[in-house]
Amino acid sequence: DKEIISVSGTVMLISKDYYQNVGLLDEDFFMYNEDQNYSWMGLMMGYKHFLSVKGRVFHKYSFSKNKNKMYHSEKNRLMMIFENYEKKTLSKLIPIIIFNEVAMLVYSLFNGWFSLKIKSYVFLFKNRKNIEKNRRKIQANRIVGDKEIFKKFESKLDFSILNNFIVKTVVNPIFIVYKHFI
């Protein structure tokens, strides 16, 4: 078995202890990133995740640039950031979060889902009280700080759809340097 940061929602085997302490997948996420959020919550509670290297699961899936997928993925990505990072970490990340959001706004504008990106902000604003409530609960239950968890996270975008010249030569170097300094 190999230790990994995040499990896949396609299939996961969790212990009774993990379930009782971390709970269930967050229904607010609806679809996309809920497994990453669940894994992040587990990391904050001191759990480790493993991949069974010899295990085989067949999951029929084909990636598509569905605009609704981008809406859910974006709102959920931001919910994860706002709920899971400690306040001191968030304060250090504000400049890179803003940089990333401007980049995503431009990307969404050129790829036909700008209105859905704006809709993700509207969702976050309308649900800010619930997000803050979840944040308080998550932060109260954590036993591992961001300093330890942050070491495990990548500081670059490594996603086939965004594997282009600008990401490789501009965005990723900025992310890597920024992570190094904070």
Side-chain angles (χ1 to χ4, degrees):
D1 289 336
K2 172 183 160 185
E3 187 173 352
I4 57 175
I5 296 170
S6 179
V7 299
S8 170
T10 302
V11 64
M12 64 177 92
L13 179 64
I14 59 172
S15 68
K16 182 179 178 182
D17 182 67
Y18 193 105
Y19 163 75
Q20 288 176 330
N21 288 306
V22 179
L24 296 170
L25 296 171
D26 187 339
E27 289 183 16
D28 290 338
F29 280 70
F30 177 59
M31 67 170 92
Y32 304 114
N33 306 91
E34 71 280 1
D35 47 4
Q36 292 173 345
N37 185 59
Y38 194 59
S39 298
W40 194 345
M41 289 171 37
L43 290 172
M44 289 186 288
M45 296 184 78
Y47 291 97
K48 293 181 179 183
H49 307 103
F50 294 91
L51 168 70
S52 178
V53 178
K54 293 181 182 178
R56 295 289 177 255
V57 173
F58 296 93
H59 176 219
K60 186 175 180 178
Y61 174 80
S62 60
F63 178 78
S64 65
K65 290 185 180 183
N66 180 312
K67 292 176 184 178
N68 281 325
K69 176 180 182 170
M70 297 309 292
Y71 160 70
H72 289 293
S73 184
E74 282 297 290
K75 77 174 180 59
N76 293 348
R77 178 182 61 82
L78 290 169
M79 276 197 311
M80 275 194 305
I81 289 169
F82 296 137
E83 289 180 358
N84 294 339
Y85 276 127
E86 295 169 317
K87 285 186 179 181
K88 64 183 175 185
T89 306
L90 274 174
S91 68
K92 293 176 183 178
L93 290 174
I94 290 290
I96 204 73
I97 291 170
I98 292 169
F99 170 81
N100 192 70
E101 288 309 302
V102 169
M104 289 306 293
L105 282 165
V106 170
Y107 181 78
S108 69
L109 184 62
F110 286 104
N111 286 279
W113 53 275
F114 180 79
S115 63
L116 292 172
K117 179 63 179 154
I118 300 301
K119 183 180 174 185
S120 72
Y121 295 136
V122 171
F123 174 90
L124 294 172
F125 181 76
K126 285 183 177 179
N127 292 280
R128 66 190 182 281
K129 289 180 183 175
N130 191 47
I131 291 168
E132 182 57 35
K133 183 178 110 183
N134 289 344
R135 176 183 173 63
R136 281 192 302 274
K137 180 181 172 192
I138 290 166
Q139 297 304 316
N141 290 327
R142 77 181 303 150
I143 60 171
V144 178
D146 282 346
K147 188 173 184 178
E148 287 304 309
I149 292 173
F150 205 68
K151 291 176 188 175
K152 298 177 185 229
F153 290 172
E154 287 286 327
S155 56
K156 63 181 182 176
L157 296 175
D158 189 15
F159 186 52
S160 61
I161 191 173
L162 296 174
N163 193 14
N164 63 45
F165 179 78
I166 294 172
V167 170
K168 287 180 183 178
T169 60
V170 178
V171 176
N172 280 344
I174 289 171
F175 283 0
I176 291 166
V177 168
Y178 196 85
K179 182 180 179 188
H180 175 74
F181 283 106
I182 65 163

